[in-house]
Amino acid sequence: MSAFQHQKGSLHCEDVPLEAIAKTHGTPTYVYSREAIESAFLAYQTALADRPHLICYAVKANSNLAVLNVLAGLGAGFDVVSAGELERVIAAGGAADKVVFSGVGKTRQEMQSALEHGIRCFNVESESELLALAEVAEQSGHIAPISVRVNPDVDAGTHPYISTGLRENKFGVDAGTARRLYQVAREQPALNAVGIDCHIGSQILDIAPFLESLDCLLSLIDGLAADGINLQHLDIGGGLGVSYEASAPAISDYMAVLSERLGSRGLELILEPGRSIVALAGALITTVQYLKPSEAKNFAIVDAAMNDLLRPSLYNAWQDIQAVTPREGKSLDWDIVGPICETGDFLGKDRTLALSEGDLLAVMGSGAYGFAMASNYNTRPRAAEVLVSGDSAQLIGKRESLNDLWQREIIPENLAR
Ligand code: LLP
């Protein structure tokens, strides 16, 4: 059941009316359902109960400390892509030894900090990175646990900006290079090869490309075993899509298929899901400021914009937009747009709604890559964030104040000529 339901004519998150949240915290505000986050995470856990596994939530999808804390409480591991994300995980009560560190451009400082925290694994993406890590680990007296990210060259059938498993993408190394890198790692006393990984993209609505990648990794694992290199885990990455519009496979179905293909292998299975845990648990609520109907187009200008939710502008992504309190009256087709000075600033196009100025709208499916990608473009403060659990709604992210926005800026003395 969806975390967002109309009750008595008004959209609620769990048992809290969104109207009440808007009244208390203003708009634009992100609202997340704790129950929805937990049940998506538990769908992975439960389906894999019979085999060794670790679900490393991809922090980039929604990195609010309270969200991370909820997941840490369920025993989640975390997939991070920067020292900043690692520090967030620690600040939120997550365990460093359940963290995998992905990304093509880890700096030496980031490696050092991750080694000091004692993370679970570095997902290495190139030979240069492997050698840099060996050096940093050796100099600081650590042994770095590593996995090589394989680019299996499969077409995930998703948006080109978020497809990562094709040969021409910057991520990972091809299978032949991966096999060689494990030999290189074996020669390095400060490296310990513990796993293998891949991540082929995001918002993937078909299970077949995941299986293709799994087969690629399994055959590499067998080849490496023949070379005398025995790995303990296989990390299949994140990427399962959600039903923004077209329907997505259920987490349990995906897990069942993976599990079947892994058969009796004793490998630990690691996953790095982000979107499928938080996307549908969140909505962005916004107020209609002005209606601007015209012969060519009807615009509803709202108080949220591309700086709050970038996905529609950046990927032409479609997310459902609902009236929080649907009204009687004539529906028109509206483009729901923000106040930012760009034609690309829209949250949705051609949405059939009966609207009046002052109405509240909810942009559904905004829990992943929503607030996390927000910016201060046009000197707009970032939105508030609220976590709902049952009938309680708690502020988990304060709306930025204008003063916050230029705190870090400096007018040097003598700047004026
Ligand atoms: N692991 C790695 C190494 C990743 O790069 C990503 C996402 C994930 C896991 C999590 O993937 P998920 O389960 O969330 O699909 N901003 C885009 C999505 C970018 C995804 C980047 N990498 C969007 O709003 O659609």
Side-chain angles (χ1 to χ4, degrees), residues 23-35:
K23 205 164 174 194
T24 309
H25 299 287
T27 58
T29 291
Y30 277 94
V31 181
Y32 311 121
S33 154
R34 176 178 183 149
E35 211 278 316

Side-chain angles (χ1 to χ4, degrees), residues 58 60 79 102 149 162 199 201-203 238-240 272-275 311 315 369 373:
K60 63 168 81 68
D79 167 55
S102 300
R149 175 165 174 180
I162 54 174
H199 170 74
S202 197
Q203 185 52 13
L240 184 64
E272 304 167 0
R275 189 192 310 271
R311 304 192 66 259
Y315 314 113
Y369 306 110
M373 292 174 76

Side-chain angles (χ1 to χ4, degrees), residues 391-410:
D391 60 5
S392 114
Q394 287 173 295
L395 187 66
I396 59 166
K398 291 184 200 157
R399 185 179 309 288
E400 277 175 322
S401 72
L402 289 181
N403 203 38
D404 292 336
L405 303 190
W406 50 81
Q407 277 306 306
R408 46 168 291 284
E409 297 171 30
I410 301 157

Side-chain angles (χ1 to χ4, degrees), residues 120 159 181 227 242 295 301 332 357 383 387 401:
R120 176 69 178 267
H159 190 286
L181 289 190
D227 299 343
V242 300
E295 257 174 38
I301 300 159
L332 291 178
E357 292 177 0
L387 183 67
S401 72

